[in-house]
């Protein structure tokens, strides 16, 4: 399978936040931001895999500053790492006051997607072609996050196995 450059699937989306996205104080709900993160990252994953994808996990989502009604929500996303059938997509979220031009980092997120074939089964994804040291660094960091996710999953399974009363946890 031929590799793909990271820049070939990167996207930036921009959406103006309105009153329907916010609470009574004018702060945009975190869930609204999360939906835009998942949608933007899904576009990146689909472009890279050239197939349908599903969100497997949101590994990390940290909010740093609020988004207000009227702000432009700017989401910049790209593939950080690929496995056999999965890929990590990183998303940087910025809020921009379109009147003053002030831009602030609002959130960072890492999501894992699995590519699907036409029958809904996991499908192989193209390898990444790295062009910069920054891309290599991001991939190395993504591999470390993947190892942490796998170790945590093993810990969770072991904890559930030794707790007989946790049937539906």
């Amino acid at each position: 399978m031929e590799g793909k450059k990271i820049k070939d699937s990167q996207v930036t989306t921009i959406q103006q936040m309105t009153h329907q996205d916010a609470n009574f104080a004018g702060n945009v709900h975190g869930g609204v931001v999360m939906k835009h993160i998942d949608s933007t990252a899904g576009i990146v994953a689909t472009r890279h895999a050239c197939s349908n994808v599903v969100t497997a996990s949101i590994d990390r989502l940290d909010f740093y500053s609020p988004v207000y009604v009227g702000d432009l929500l700017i989401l910049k996303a790209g593939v950080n790492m690929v496995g056999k059938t999965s890929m990590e997509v990183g998303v940087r979220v910025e809020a921009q006051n379109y009147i003053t031009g002030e831009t602030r980092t609002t959130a960072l997120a890492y999501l894992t997607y699995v590519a699907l074939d036409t029958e809904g089964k996991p499908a192989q994804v193209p390898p990444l072609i790295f062009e910069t040291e920054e891309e290599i660094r991001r991939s190395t960091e993504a591999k470390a996050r993947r190892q942490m996710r796998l170790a945590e999953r093993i810990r969770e399974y072991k904890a559930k196995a030794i707790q007989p009363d946790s049937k539906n946890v």
Side-chain angles (χ1 to χ4, degrees):
M1 177 175 279
E2 189 174 325
K4 292 181 81 173
K5 296 176 182 175
I6 292 171
K7 69 181 179 186
D8 292 337
S9 58
Q10 288 177 324
V11 298
T12 298
T13 61
I14 301 173
Q15 180 74 40
Q16 188 169 29
M17 297 291 95
T18 66
H19 290 284
Q20 70 184 16
D21 300 317
N23 61 24
F24 293 119
N27 297 321
V28 172
H29 294 289
V32 170
V33 176
M34 288 173 62
K35 179 181 183 290
H36 286 288
I37 289 169
D38 192 23
S39 295
T40 301
I43 292 167
V44 169
T46 299
R47 288 181 76 184
H48 182 79
C50 295
S51 70
N52 191 26
V53 299
V54 291
T55 309
S57 69
I58 298 177
D59 181 51
R60 180 112 191 217
L61 173 56
D62 295 313
F63 290 100
Y64 300 109
S65 65
V67 180
Y68 304 109
V69 169
D71 281 348
L72 298 178
L73 192 69
I74 303 167
L75 299 101
K76 300 174 182 180
V79 177
N80 290 332
M81 183 209 73
V82 298
K84 183 178 179 185
T85 61
S86 65
M87 63 209 101
E88 182 193 272
V89 177
V91 182
R92 178 185 187 87
V93 183
E94 297 174 343
Q96 182 181 65
N97 180 310
Y98 70 95
I99 294 172
T100 66
E102 176 209 1
T103 302
R104 61 197 176 278
T105 299
T106 298
L108 296 174
Y110 300 104
L111 300 88
T112 301
Y113 288 86
V114 174
L116 301 176
D117 64 17
T118 56
E119 296 175 8
K121 305 289 184 200
Q124 189 172 352
V125 295
L128 288 175
I129 298 171
F130 300 110
E131 297 183 293
T132 68
E133 292 297 320
E134 174 76 4
E135 291 172 350
I136 293 168
R137 181 189 63 78
R138 287 178 186 262
S139 184
T140 301
E141 291 172 357
K143 288 175 185 173
R145 282 189 294 275
R146 182 175 189 274
Q147 290 303 315
M148 288 190 301
R149 280 192 303 273
L150 294 174
E152 179 63 24
R153 189 175 303 150
I154 290 168
R155 281 194 297 278
E156 287 174 359
Y157 289 145
K158 286 181 180 179
K160 288 178 184 178
I162 60 171
Q163 296 176 8
D165 295 330
S166 61
K167 294 175 187 170
N168 297 320
V169 177

